[in-house]
Amino acid sequence: MTQHPRISKAVIPAAGLGTRFLPATKATPKEMLPVVDKPAIQYVVEEAVAAGLDDVLMVTGRNKRPLEDHFDRNYELESALQKKGDAGRLAKVQESSDLATMHYVRQGDPKGLGHAVLCAAPHVGEEPFAVLLGDDLIDPRDPLLQRMVEVQEQRGGSVIALMEVAPEQIHLYGCAAVETTEDSDVVKVSGLVEKPDPADAPSNYAIIGRYVLDPHIFDILRRTEPGRGGEIQLTDALQQLTEDEKIGGPVHGVVFKGRRYDTGDRGDYLRAIVRLACEREDLGPDFRTWLRSYVAEEM
């Protein structure tokens, strides 16, 4: 099987307004909301780095400066912690600034995910690259992105992350028509549709927020007209790749069955915090004891 170029760049769209979390996101980017004691966006960058992608471009917008500050050095804070001899907190503060080589570009107009990805074209160039959406946190014990990179390097083209959902929920996602391959966790994608009615959905395989894309996607996005919601949809551009493999190779999907935490919805955000806190060695034992007691009292 042909070995394709090694992927080193990750793109993280982070220009959304976070309206579902108002008023908390009036002055604070939703990506900076804490999941236990780390902002959600740090989990995403850590995932990219764990998959070998240490060149990270964040596509931001107005009022997103705290994202840049978080991944930069804070000399005053570091100096204060050093003087106190607080090595543990100092290491945590320095961790985010040492994670990866960070770059930033602004998406001037909120024209959708496809447009946000297109903003990355000058930085990415002619290389395959990954896209990670900040609302989906993938548990590091389930290395989805690493598997997607592996599949892309073996098969070329583009790779999307898929997850089986209940048929009545498929209208909340992009949906893929698929064909089996010799690998049990890999499917060939023959078609895509954005948020279909359940009766029209080709499957119950939903697209979740991880992509490894061939750079030909940029040419397609430049020609893609606004679709659902009046936005330039990445799903529409990927659909064109499924229709003609000569453009940028095939589209495959990696079927994910691991742990995923959805922080884009308020209820799921709270559930993600509870689940992750319960699994922490430093917080879990006491927190689980309190949680059992609280649930018993409420029942």
Side-chain angles (χ1 to χ4, degrees):
M1 190 173 290
T2 303
Q3 190 75 12
H4 295 268
R6 176 70 186 171
I7 300 168
S8 64
K9 294 179 179 177
V11 175
I12 303 177
L17 297 175
T19 53
R20 285 181 288 181
F21 283 84
L22 285 170
T25 50
K26 179 181 178 181
T28 302
K30 69 171 183 175
E31 295 85 5
M32 289 300 297
L33 295 179
V35 180
V36 188
D37 55 4
K38 273 193 302 193
I41 193 67
Q42 185 170 331
Y43 289 88
V44 180
V45 174
E46 288 173 349
E47 181 188 350
V49 172
L53 314 182
D54 56 3
D55 184 324
V56 178
L57 175 70
M58 206 167 288
V59 183
T60 67
R62 287 179 289 276
N63 301 322
K64 298 284 186 169
R65 182 59 186 270
L67 293 172
E68 298 184 34
D69 290 340
H70 180 71
F71 292 101
D72 199 358
R73 298 290 300 273
N74 186 327
Y75 292 101
E76 294 83 358
L77 178 58
E78 291 177 28
S79 177
L81 292 172
Q82 198 165 23
K83 288 177 181 178
K84 289 181 179 180
D86 196 338
R89 287 190 174 90
L90 177 61
K92 289 181 179 180
V93 167
Q94 292 175 331
E95 182 182 13
S96 60
S97 57
D98 295 335
L99 268 176
T101 302
M102 302 295 298
H103 308 270
Y104 304 89
V105 64
R106 282 199 173 190
Q107 182 186 16
D109 297 316
K111 296 180 181 178
L113 176 58
H115 181 257
V117 172
L118 185 56
C119 291
H123 179 77
V124 170
E126 298 299 318
E127 304 174 31
F129 63 104
V131 175
L132 299 86
L133 304 191
D135 287 347
D136 283 335
L137 304 188
I138 304 298
D139 194 293
R141 293 168 293 183
D142 301 311
L144 169 63
L145 187 60
Q146 289 174 250
R147 176 59 174 151
M148 294 174 66
V149 168
E150 179 183 273
V151 170
Q152 198 281 336
E153 290 176 346
Q154 292 173 348
R155 299 173 181 264
S158 297
V159 182
I160 62 177
L162 301 174
M163 180 182 68
E164 289 190 82
V165 301
E168 60 271 17
Q169 292 183 319
I170 197 64
H171 71 283
L172 301 172
Y173 300 87
C175 177
V178 302
E179 304 167 3
T180 59
T181 71
E182 64 275 15
D183 293 320
S184 60
D185 64 334
V186 179
V187 293
K188 175 80 174 293
V189 178
S190 57
L192 294 162
V193 59
E194 181 68 20
K195 296 181 178 179
D197 291 329
D200 300 325
S203 74
N204 66 329
Y205 283 104
I207 306 170
I208 58 175
R210 297 294 181 270
Y211 308 81
V212 177
L213 301 176
D214 183 274
H216 285 90
I217 197 73
F218 294 130
D219 291 333
I220 296 174
L221 286 168
R222 292 184 184 100
R223 303 190 301 267
T224 299
E225 295 294 326
R228 191 179 183 94
E231 298 182 335
I232 297 173
Q233 298 288 349
L234 180 59
T235 303
D236 293 343
L238 286 166
Q239 167 62 21
Q240 293 188 48
L241 287 180
T242 68
E243 294 172 353
D244 187 356
E245 293 185 10
K246 294 179 181 178
I247 298 175
V251 178
H252 287 91
V254 170
V255 180
F256 182 63
K257 296 182 179 180
R259 288 156 284 202
R260 167 180 173 262
Y261 311 106
D262 183 355
T263 61
D265 172 83
R266 289 174 298 174
D268 286 337
Y269 170 74
L270 294 173
R271 284 185 280 272
I273 292 174
V274 170
R275 290 173 64 184
L276 287 169
C278 284
E279 295 178 1
R280 286 268 294 261
E281 291 184 3
D282 56 339
L283 297 173
D286 288 342
F287 185 68
R288 288 194 300 269
T289 298
W290 173 84
L291 190 59
R292 291 189 191 99
S293 175
Y294 174 76
V295 171
E297 289 174 5
E298 290 299 306
M299 293 292 286

